[in-house]
Amino acid sequence: MKKMLANLFLSVVTLGFATVAPAATDEAKAAYKAAEDSATATYKAERAKCDALNGNPKDVCIEEAKAAEKRSKAEA
């Protein structure tokens, strides 16, 4: 009985993964790519602003720009 339940559960899980995998559409992929490109462009602009600084404030500025980029990419 346990083996039959385990096989049934495995079948349901496999079916679930099989139906979710092709769910990503071209529109979703394009939107993700656009959001990722936007995050990268924003990072580059923020990073350029950091070049005017020196020492520790520059390091902090760079790390904040990196964090903002990672946050934007994670939200995408």
Side-chain angles (χ1 to χ4, degrees), residues 15-26 29:
L15 180 62
F17 283 126
T19 57
V20 172
T25 63
D26 290 333
K29 289 178 184 178

Side-chain angles (χ1 to χ4, degrees), residues 3 7 27 34 36-40 52 56 61 76:
K3 188 174 183 178
N7 285 338
E27 293 172 357
E36 193 173 55
D37 291 343
S38 175
T40 302
N56 191 42
C61 181

Side-chain angles (χ1 to χ4, degrees), residues 32-64:
Y32 174 75
K33 180 70 173 149
E36 193 173 55
D37 291 343
S38 175
T40 302
T42 302
Y43 166 73
K44 288 179 181 180
E46 292 295 321
R47 179 67 171 84
K49 292 178 186 176
C50 296
D51 290 337
L53 301 172
N54 290 323
N56 191 42
K58 182 176 183 175
D59 295 339
V60 171
C61 181
I62 291 170
E63 291 305 316
E64 287 176 349

Side-chain angles (χ1 to χ4, degrees), residues 2 5 8 20-21 28 30 32 35 39 42 52-53 57 59-60 66 68-69 71 73:
K2 287 183 181 181
L5 288 175
L8 179 63
V20 172
Y32 174 75
T42 302
L53 301 172
D59 295 339
V60 171
K66 286 180 184 179
E69 178 190 27
R71 227 177 294 120
K73 285 184 177 182

